[in-house]
Coordinates of all heavy atoms in Angstrom, one line a residue:
A1380 N -47.2 -65.2 4.3 CA -45.7 -65.1 4.5 C -45.2 -63.9 3.7 O -44.4 -63.1 4.2 CB -45.0 -66.3 4.1
S1381 N -45.7 -63.8 2.5 CA -45.3 -62.7 1.6 C -45.7 -61.3 2.2 O -45.0 -60.3 2.1 CB -45.9 -62.9 0.2 OG -45.5 -61.8 -0.7
K1382 N -46.9 -61.3 2.7 CA -47.5 -60.0 3.3 C -46.6 -59.6 4.5 O -46.3 -58.5 4.7 CB -48.9 -60.2 3.7 CG -49.9 -60.2 2.5 CD -51.3 -60.4 3.0 CE -52.3 -60.4 1.8 NZ -53.7 -60.5 2.2
R1383 N -46.3 -60.7 5.4 CA -45.5 -60.4 6.6 C -44.1 -59.9 6.2 O -43.6 -58.9 6.8 CB -45.4 -61.6 7.4 CG -46.6 -62.0 8.2 CD -46.3 -63.0 9.4 NE -45.8 -64.2 8.8 CZ -46.7 -65.3 8.5 NH1 -48.0 -65.1 8.7 NH2 -46.2 -66.4 8.1
T1384 N -43.6 -60.4 5.1 CA -42.3 -60.0 4.7 C -42.4 -58.5 4.2 O -41.5 -57.7 4.4 CB -41.8 -60.9 3.5 OG1 -41.7 -62.2 4.0 CG2 -40.4 -60.4 3.1
S1385 N -43.4 -58.3 3.4 CA -43.6 -56.9 2.8 C -43.8 -55.9 4.0 O -43.2 -54.8 3.9 CB -44.9 -56.9 1.9 OG -45.1 -55.6 1.5
I1386 N -44.6 -56.2 5.0 CA -44.8 -55.3 6.1 C -43.5 -55.1 6.9 O -43.1 -54.0 7.3 CB -45.8 -55.9 7.1 CG1 -47.2 -55.9 6.4 CG2 -45.9 -55.1 8.4 CD1 -48.3 -56.6 7.2
S1387 N -42.7 -56.2 7.1 CA -41.4 -56.1 7.7 C -40.4 -55.2 7.0 O -39.8 -54.3 7.6 CB -40.8 -57.5 7.9 OG -41.6 -58.3 8.7
V1388 N -40.4 -55.3 5.7 CA -39.6 -54.5 4.9 C -40.0 -53.0 5.0 O -39.1 -52.1 5.1 CB -39.6 -54.9 3.4 CG1 -38.9 -53.9 2.5 CG2 -38.9 -56.3 3.2
K1389 N -41.3 -52.8 4.9 CA -41.8 -51.4 5.0 C -41.4 -50.8 6.4 O -41.0 -49.6 6.5 CB -43.3 -51.4 4.8 CG -43.7 -51.6 3.4 CD -45.2 -51.6 3.3 CE -45.7 -51.9 1.8 NZ -47.1 -51.9 1.7
L1390 N -41.6 -51.6 7.4 CA -41.2 -51.1 8.8 C -39.8 -50.8 8.9 O -39.3 -49.8 9.5 CB -41.6 -52.2 9.8 CG -43.1 -52.3 10.1 CD1 -43.4 -53.5 11.0 CD2 -43.7 -51.0 10.7
L1391 N -39.0 -51.7 8.3 CA -37.5 -51.5 8.3 C -37.1 -50.2 7.6 O -36.3 -49.4 8.1 CB -36.8 -52.7 7.7 CG -36.7 -54.0 8.5 CD1 -36.1 -55.1 7.7 CD2 -35.8 -53.7 9.7
V1392 N -37.8 -50.0 6.4 CA -37.5 -48.8 5.7 C -38.0 -47.5 6.5 O -37.2 -46.6 6.6 CB -38.3 -48.8 4.3 CG1 -38.2 -47.4 3.6 CG2 -37.7 -49.9 3.4
I1393 N -39.1 -47.6 7.1 CA -39.6 -46.5 7.9 C -38.7 -46.2 9.0 O -38.3 -45.0 9.3 CB -41.1 -46.8 8.4 CG1 -42.1 -46.8 7.2 CG2 -41.5 -45.7 9.4 CD1 -43.5 -47.2 7.5
F1394 N -38.4 -47.2 9.8 CA -37.5 -47.1 10.9 C -36.1 -46.6 10.5 O -35.5 -45.8 11.1 CB -37.4 -48.4 11.8 CG -38.5 -48.6 12.7 CD1 -39.3 -49.7 12.5 CD2 -38.8 -47.7 13.7 CE1 -40.4 -49.9 13.4 CE2 -39.9 -47.9 14.6 CZ -40.7 -49.0 14.4
G1395 N -35.7 -47.1 9.3 CA -34.4 -46.7 8.8 C -34.4 -45.2 8.5 O -33.4 -44.4 8.8
I1396 N -35.5 -44.8 7.8 CA -35.6 -43.3 7.5 C -35.7 -42.5 8.8 O -35.0 -41.4 8.8 CB -36.9 -43.1 6.6 CG1 -36.7 -43.7 5.2 CG2 -37.2 -41.6 6.5 CD1 -37.9 -43.7 4.4
L1397 N -36.4 -43.0 9.8 CA -36.5 -42.2 11.0 C -35.2 -42.1 11.7 O -34.8 -41.0 12.3 CB -37.5 -42.9 11.9 CG -39.0 -42.8 11.5 CD1 -39.9 -43.6 12.5 CD2 -39.5 -41.3 11.6
I1398 N -34.4 -43.2 11.7 CA -33.1 -43.2 12.3 C -32.2 -42.2 11.6 O -31.4 -41.4 12.2 CB -32.5 -44.6 12.3 CG1 -33.3 -45.5 13.3 CG2 -31.0 -44.6 12.7 CD1 -32.9 -47.0 13.2
I1399 N -32.2 -42.3 10.2 CA -31.4 -41.4 9.4 C -31.8 -39.9 9.7 O -30.9 -39.0 9.9 CB -31.5 -41.7 7.9 CG1 -30.9 -43.0 7.6 CG2 -30.9 -40.6 7.1 CD1 -31.2 -43.5 6.2
L1400 N -33.1 -39.6 9.8 CA -33.5 -38.3 10.1 C -33.1 -37.8 11.4 O -32.7 -36.7 11.6 CB -35.1 -38.2 9.9 CG -35.6 -38.3 8.5 CD1 -37.2 -38.3 8.6 CD2 -35.2 -37.1 7.7
A1401 N -33.2 -38.7 12.4 CA -32.8 -38.4 13.8 C -31.3 -38.1 13.9 O -30.9 -37.2 14.5 CB -33.2 -39.6 14.7
L1402 N -30.5 -39.0 13.2 CA -29.1 -38.8 13.2 C -28.7 -37.5 12.5 O -27.8 -36.8 12.9 CB -28.4 -40.0 12.5 CG -28.4 -41.3 13.3 CD1 -27.8 -42.4 12.5 CD2 -27.6 -41.2 14.6
S1403 N -29.4 -37.2 11.4 CA -29.1 -36.0 10.6 C -29.5 -34.8 11.5 O -28.7 -33.8 11.5 CB -30.0 -35.9 9.3 OG -29.6 -37.0 8.5
F1404 N -30.6 -34.9 12.2 CA -31.0 -33.8 13.1 C -30.0 -33.6 14.2 O -29.6 -32.4 14.5 CB -32.4 -34.1 13.7 CG -32.9 -33.0 14.6 CD1 -33.4 -31.8 14.1 CD2 -32.9 -33.2 16.0 CE1 -33.8 -30.8 15.0 CE2 -33.3 -32.3 16.9 CZ -33.8 -31.0 16.4
L1405 N -29.5 -34.7 14.8 CA -28.5 -34.6 15.8 C -27.2 -34.0 15.3 O -26.5 -33.2 16.0 CB -28.3 -35.9 16.4 CG -29.4 -36.5 17.3 CD1 -29.1 -37.9 17.7 CD2 -29.6 -35.6 18.6
G1406 N -26.9 -34.4 14.0 CA -25.7 -33.9 13.4 C -25.8 -32.4 13.2 O -24.8 -31.7 13.5
V1407 N -26.9 -31.9 12.7 CA -27.1 -30.5 12.5 C -27.0 -29.7 13.8 O -26.4 -28.7 14.0 CB -28.5 -30.2 11.8 CG1 -28.8 -28.7 11.8 CG2 -28.4 -30.7 10.4
I1408 N -27.7 -30.3 14.9 CA -27.7 -29.7 16.2 C -26.3 -29.6 16.7 O -25.8 -28.6 17.3 CB -28.6 -30.4 17.2 CG1 -30.1 -30.3 16.8 CG2 -28.4 -29.9 18.6 CD1 -30.6 -28.9 16.9
S1409 N -25.5 -30.7 16.5 CA -24.1 -30.7 17.0 C -23.3 -29.7 16.3 O -22.5 -29.0 17.0 CB -23.5 -32.1 16.8 OG -24.2 -33.1 17.5
V1410 N -23.5 -29.5 15.0 CA -22.7 -28.5 14.3 C -23.1 -27.1 14.8 O -22.2 -26.3 15.0 CB -23.0 -28.6 12.8 CG1 -22.4 -27.4 12.0 CG2 -22.4 -29.9 12.2
V1411 N -24.4 -26.9 15.0 CA -24.8 -25.5 15.4 C -24.2 -25.2 16.8 O -23.7 -24.1 17.1 CB -26.4 -25.5 15.5 CG1 -26.8 -24.2 16.2 CG2 -26.9 -25.5 14.1
I1412 N -24.3 -26.2 17.7 CA -23.8 -26.1 19.1 C -22.3 -25.8 19.0 O -21.7 -24.9 19.7 CB -24.1 -27.3 19.9 CG1 -25.6 -27.3 20.2 CG2 -23.4 -27.2 21.3 CD1 -26.1 -28.6 20.9
A1413 N -21.6 -26.6 18.2 CA -20.1 -26.5 18.1 C -19.8 -25.1 17.5 O -18.8 -24.5 18.0 CB -19.5 -27.6 17.2
R1414 N -20.5 -24.7 16.5 CA -20.2 -23.4 15.9 C -20.5 -22.3 16.9 O -19.7 -21.3 17.0 CB -21.1 -23.2 14.6 CG -20.9 -21.9 13.9 CD -21.8 -21.9 12.6 NE -21.4 -20.7 11.8 CZ -22.0 -19.5 12.0 NH1 -22.9 -19.3 13.0 NH2 -21.6 -18.5 11.2
K1415 N -21.5 -22.4 17.6 CA -21.9 -21.4 18.6 C -20.8 -21.3 19.7 O -20.3 -20.2 20.1 CB -23.2 -21.7 19.3 CG -23.7 -20.6 20.3 CD -25.1 -20.9 20.7 CE -25.7 -19.8 21.6 NZ -25.1 -19.8 22.9
A1416 N -20.3 -22.5 20.1 CA -19.2 -22.5 21.1 C -17.9 -21.9 20.6 O -17.2 -21.2 21.3 CB -19.0 -24.0 21.5
I1417 N -17.6 -22.2 19.3 CA -16.4 -21.6 18.7 C -16.5 -20.1 18.6 O -15.5 -19.4 19.0 CB -16.1 -22.3 17.3 CG1 -15.7 -23.7 17.5 CG2 -15.0 -21.5 16.6 CD1 -15.7 -24.5 16.2
I1418 N -17.6 -19.6 18.2 CA -17.8 -18.2 18.0 C -17.7 -17.5 19.4 O -17.1 -16.5 19.5 CB -19.2 -17.9 17.4 CG1 -19.1 -18.3 15.9 CG2 -19.5 -16.4 17.5 CD1 -20.5 -18.1 15.2
E1419 N -18.3 -18.1 20.4 CA -18.3 -17.6 21.8 C -16.8 -17.5 22.3 O -16.4 -16.6 22.9 CB -19.1 -18.4 22.7 CG -20.6 -18.1 22.5 CD -21.5 -19.0 23.4 OE1 -20.9 -19.9 24.1 OE2 -22.7 -18.8 23.5
K1420 N -16.1 -18.6 21.9 CA -14.7 -18.6 22.3 C -13.9 -17.5 21.6 O -13.0 -16.8 22.2 CB -14.1 -20.0 22.0 CG -12.7 -20.2 22.5 CD -12.2 -21.6 22.3 CE -10.8 -21.8 22.9 NZ -10.3 -23.2 22.7
V1421 N -14.1 -17.4 20.3 CA -13.4 -16.3 19.5 C -13.8 -14.9 20.1 O -12.9 -14.0 20.2 CB -13.8 -16.4 18.0 CG1 -13.3 -15.2 17.3 CG2 -13.2 -17.7 17.4
E1422 N -15.1 -14.7 20.4 CA -15.5 -13.4 20.9 C -14.8 -13.1 22.2 O -14.3 -12.0 22.4 CB -17.1 -13.5 21.2 CG -17.9 -13.5 19.9 CD -19.4 -13.6 20.2 OE1 -19.7 -13.8 21.4 OE2 -20.2 -13.5 19.3
A1423 N -14.7 -14.1 23.1 CA -14.1 -13.8 24.4 C -12.6 -13.6 24.2 O -12.0 -12.7 24.8 CB -14.2 -15.1 25.3
H1424 N -12.0 -14.3 23.2 CA -10.5 -14.1 22.9 C -10.3 -12.7 22.4 O -9.3 -12.0 22.7 CB -10.1 -15.2 22.0 CG -8.6 -15.1 21.6 ND1 -7.6 -15.1 22.6 CD2 -8.0 -14.9 20.4 CE1 -6.4 -15.0 22.0 NE2 -6.6 -14.9 20.7
L1425 N -11.2 -12.3 21.5 CA -11.0 -11.0 20.8 C -11.1 -9.8 21.9 O -10.3 -8.9 21.9 CB -12.1 -10.8 19.8 CG -11.8 -11.3 18.4 CD1 -13.0 -11.0 17.5 CD2 -10.6 -10.6 17.8

Side-chain angles (χ1 to χ4, degrees):
S1381 178
K1382 285 182 179 179
R1383 284 197 296 270
T1384 302
S1385 177
I1386 292 171
S1387 298
V1388 169
K1389 288 179 180 178
L1390 288 173
L1391 283 172
V1392 170
I1393 291 170
F1394 280 117
I1396 291 171
L1397 289 174
I1398 290 170
I1399 291 171
L1400 290 174
L1402 290 174
S1403 298
F1404 179 74
L1405 289 173
V1407 170
I1408 292 296
S1409 298
V1410 169
V1411 170
I1412 292 173
R1414 183 175 185 274
K1415 186 172 184 288
I1417 290 172
I1418 290 175
E1419 287 176 351
K1420 186 175 181 179
V1421 170
E1422 289 176 353
H1424 181 57
L1425 274 179

